């Protein structure tokens, strides 16, 4: 059905085995199907189609044996409060986001700056954002499947450039959401204020000066970043543990070396050429699935792969795509302004300098690892739509 609607934009479906499959053949088939589904979801025109959403709605409901019926769903805000929604179990995340935005008084044009996330509140006060909920995903069904993880569904801002806060300051609902999340990130030690900033922060919080508070927090280190749970990496050597923040056009890693020394490393996004997520299967004890995200990085003129073993690999991948998407939009906007201001005789040279941008490609690799290279047609940022990321 997708082929009939979208033609060659849909990747070829993996071939079937018509003879009895061995275990290795079954694993290969499963790997191909997983990769096919990941590639299909890269095109928003496909994922927004009725055929796609209808198929995945049925797939999710059939897998967990949940029929379409009326239900209540709690969506949590960053201050710990929640809004209870009267929904259908078959409602998608896109639909639920629209409903809660309407309940909160968030204008339709500002919904795109927010998204739904699954998160965990730990007993020690730590906050783990598990993953961003896909638009076509059924949050009620997903929560049932993640019951053992004690996940909650929450609404959070969804952009990586802190300067975009200024676009949301005139709306009371969006200002409240930003303010609650900012306080949460300070309390959960996501941002790193100085002593002076902390004193001013408490004063503004006491006086409920939300606009000034958000203006101050944008000056704090790691504001606007997403913090991942501690994980394992292979840089600068195998077996290092790392605390990871992603934002402000970097992946910031505080790495603990085997010698117990710590080293802070900043991997700049404009020196990153590609990345891929790999599903490695269950751990030896069979309890957890293992994911890795590896990215190709230019370190002093040499390209090398750096690997992060983290359950939040898909969240990290989503953050990288969002950063690059915002870079593209900013470059396109600056390019338009440049064309208006630049004389005709110099337009071509200016335009070519804008187009010589970093090459980015991401992919999902299931169980097998292989190098993914971008096509020649992908080598100009201006040719890639935000939806394609």
């Amino acid at each position: 059905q997708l082929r009939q609607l979208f033609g060659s934009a849909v990747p070829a479906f993996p071939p079937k085995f018509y003879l009895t499959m061995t275990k290795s053949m079954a694993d290969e088939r499963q790997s191909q199907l997983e990769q096919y589904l990941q590639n299909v979801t890269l095109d928003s025109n496909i994922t927004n189609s009725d055929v796609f959403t209808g198929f995945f709605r049925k797939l999710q409901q059939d897998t967990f044996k949940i029929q379409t019926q009326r239900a209540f769903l709690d969506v949590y805000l960053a201050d710990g409060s929640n809004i209870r929604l009267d929904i259908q179990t078959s409602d998608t995340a896109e639909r639920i986001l629209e409903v809660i935005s309407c309940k909160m008084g968030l204008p339709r044009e500002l919904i795109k700056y927010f998204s739904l996330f699954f998160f965990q509140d730990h007993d020690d006060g730590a906050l783990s954002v598990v993953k961003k909920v896909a638009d076509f995903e059924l949050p009620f069904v997903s929560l049932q499947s993640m019951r053992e993880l004690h996940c909650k569904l929450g609404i959070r801002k969804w952009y990586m450039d802190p300067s975009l806060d200024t676009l949301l300051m005139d709306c009371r609902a969006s200002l409240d959401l930003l303010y609650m999340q900012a306080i949460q990130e300070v309390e959960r030690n996501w941002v790193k204020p100085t002593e002076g900033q902390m004193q001013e922060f408490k004063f503004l919080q006491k006086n409920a000066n939300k606009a000034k508070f958000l203006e101050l927090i944008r000056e704090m280190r790691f504001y606007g970043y997403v913090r991942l749970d501690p994980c394992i990496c292979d840089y600068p050597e195998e077996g290092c543990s790392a605390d990871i923040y992603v934002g402000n056009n970097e992946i910031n890693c505080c790495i603990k070396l085997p010698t117990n020394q710590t080293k802070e490393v900043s991997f700049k996004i404009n020196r990153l050429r590609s990345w891929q997520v790999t599903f490695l299967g269950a751990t030896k004890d069979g309890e957890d699935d293992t994911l890795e995200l590896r990215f190709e990085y230019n370190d002093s003129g040499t390209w090398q792969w750096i690997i992060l073993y983290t359950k939040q690999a898909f969240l990290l991948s989503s953050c990288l795509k969002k950063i690059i998407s915002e870079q593209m939009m900013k470059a396109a906007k600056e390019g338009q302004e440049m064309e208006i201001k630049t004389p005709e005789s110099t337009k071509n040279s200016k335009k070519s300098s804008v187009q010589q941008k970093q090459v980015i490609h991401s992919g999902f690799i299931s169980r097998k690892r292989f190098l993914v290279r971008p096509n020649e047609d992908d080598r100009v940022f201006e040719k890639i739509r935000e939806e394609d990321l």
Side-chain angles (χ1 to χ4, degrees):
Q1 290 177 302
L2 290 176
R3 277 276 180 173
Q4 291 175 354
L5 285 174
F6 300 103
S8 59
V10 180
F13 196 79
K16 294 181 179 179
F17 292 104
Y18 290 97
L19 301 176
T20 303
M21 289 192 291
T22 63
K23 185 180 184 305
S24 62
M25 293 168 68
D27 288 343
E28 176 69 15
R29 172 70 172 165
Q30 183 176 349
S31 174
Q32 291 174 347
L33 289 171
E34 288 175 350
Q35 188 177 341
Y36 169 80
L37 292 175
Q38 290 293 328
N39 289 336
V40 165
T41 58
L42 292 176
D43 190 332
S44 63
N45 292 323
I46 295 176
T47 57
N48 291 334
S49 68
D50 291 338
V51 171
F52 183 90
T53 54
F55 171 78
F56 271 94
R57 179 183 289 114
K58 186 176 186 305
L59 177 64
Q60 292 173 77
Q61 290 182 272
D62 288 351
T63 300
F64 300 102
K65 297 179 174 56
I66 296 177
Q67 296 180 342
T68 299
Q69 59 187 10
R70 183 181 175 187
F72 292 103
L73 182 67
D74 292 327
V75 179
Y76 287 82
L77 308 181
D79 66 350
S81 64
N82 68 281
I83 298 175
R84 175 157 289 191
L85 303 180
D86 188 350
I87 65 159
Q88 295 290 313
T89 55
S90 57
D91 283 343
T92 63
E94 183 178 30
R95 168 64 180 161
I96 289 172
L97 185 60
E98 289 175 352
V99 172
I100 193 169
S101 298
C102 181
K103 268 187 170 280
M104 297 185 65
L106 186 67
R108 180 172 291 273
E109 64 270 17
L110 298 184
I111 294 177
K112 63 184 178 180
Y113 295 106
F114 297 89
S115 188
L116 296 176
F117 294 83
F118 292 121
F119 70 94
Q120 295 170 313
D121 271 322
H122 298 287
D123 293 337
D124 61 359
L127 172 70
S128 295
V129 178
V130 179
K131 69 182 287 285
K132 178 185 176 294
V133 186
D135 288 345
F136 57 83
E137 195 170 347
L138 309 185
F140 182 88
V141 176
S142 294
L143 278 174
Q144 304 309 306
S145 69
M146 302 167 71
R147 189 176 299 169
E148 293 181 359
L149 299 176
H150 304 291
C151 285
K152 296 178 181 178
L153 181 68
I155 181 172
R156 302 178 65 82
K157 68 180 183 182
W158 181 229
Y159 51 88
M160 305 301 292
D161 181 356
S163 68
L164 294 178
D165 282 0
T166 57
L167 302 178
L168 309 178
M169 302 294 280
D170 295 332
C171 169
R172 181 175 179 179
S174 58
L175 179 64
D176 286 343
L177 285 170
L178 294 183
Y179 180 69
M180 286 186 285
Q181 185 171 332
I183 290 178
Q184 181 193 56
E185 291 180 3
V186 172
E187 293 176 344
R188 301 302 180 95
N189 203 30
W190 276 33
V191 297
K192 306 291 184 183
T194 63
E195 284 190 20
Q197 288 174 329
M198 197 64 189
Q199 290 177 359
E200 191 173 353
F201 160 80
K202 290 178 179 178
F203 174 79
L204 293 172
Q205 187 179 3
K206 183 178 179 180
N207 290 276
N209 192 332
K210 298 177 182 179
K212 277 286 186 182
F213 178 91
L214 289 169
E215 184 179 328
L216 169 66
I217 201 171
R218 283 199 293 273
E219 301 173 4
M220 295 184 185
R221 193 177 186 212
F222 293 137
Y223 175 68
Y225 287 63
V226 172
R227 183 178 182 178
L228 304 187
D229 294 344
C231 68
I232 302 298
C233 68
D234 72 342
Y235 185 92
E237 55 186 289
E238 291 280 352
C240 295
S241 61
D243 290 328
I244 297 175
Y245 292 80
V246 56
N248 193 28
N249 301 323
E250 68 167 342
I251 302 173
N252 185 283
C253 300
C254 184
I255 300 171
K256 187 175 182 180
L257 304 172
T259 58
N260 287 329
Q261 295 177 308
T262 58
K263 178 179 182 179
E264 185 172 342
V265 181
S266 173
F267 298 106
K268 301 299 183 183
I269 301 300
N270 60 2
R271 296 172 66 183
L272 187 153
R273 180 162 64 181
S274 62
W275 73 86
Q276 59 195 43
V277 176
T278 308
F279 175 65
L280 302 177
T283 55
K284 292 180 181 179
D285 55 18
E287 291 184 359
D288 299 316
D289 290 333
T290 305
L291 292 170
E292 71 169 33
L293 184 141
R294 54 172 54 202
F295 56 92
E296 194 177 13
Y297 191 74
N298 190 332
D299 188 6
S300 302
T302 302
W303 290 101
Q304 67 178 102
W305 286 96
I306 294 168
I307 305 175
L308 304 174
Y309 300 95
T310 170
K311 295 179 184 178
Q312 296 161 296
F314 285 112
L315 175 64
L316 177 54
S317 179
S318 296
C319 292
L320 294 177
K321 293 175 186 176
K322 195 66 174 176
I323 290 173
I324 294 164
S325 167
E326 291 170 0
Q327 285 181 343
M328 289 167 51
M329 294 176 67
K330 188 173 182 179
K333 184 177 180 181
E334 290 175 351
Q336 290 175 351
E337 293 175 352
M338 194 183 303
E339 285 191 18
I340 294 172
K341 297 178 181 178
T342 305
E344 188 71 30
S345 60
T346 59
K347 273 187 184 180
N348 292 335
S349 61
K350 293 277 186 181
K351 188 175 182 180
S352 64
S353 67
V354 172
Q355 289 180 337
Q356 291 173 3
K357 296 289 184 182
Q358 154 206 22
V359 178
I360 295 295
H361 182 88
S362 67
F364 174 87
I365 315 300
S366 174
R367 293 180 180 82
K368 288 190 171 183
R369 299 179 184 150
F370 54 87
L371 179 62
V372 182
R373 292 289 185 186
N375 296 325
E376 288 297 324
D377 292 338
D378 293 336
R379 290 186 178 275
V380 179
F381 261 4
E382 287 76 3
K383 290 184 180 179
I384 310 175
R385 298 173 301 172
E386 180 182 2
E387 293 84 356
D388 292 335
L389 291 170

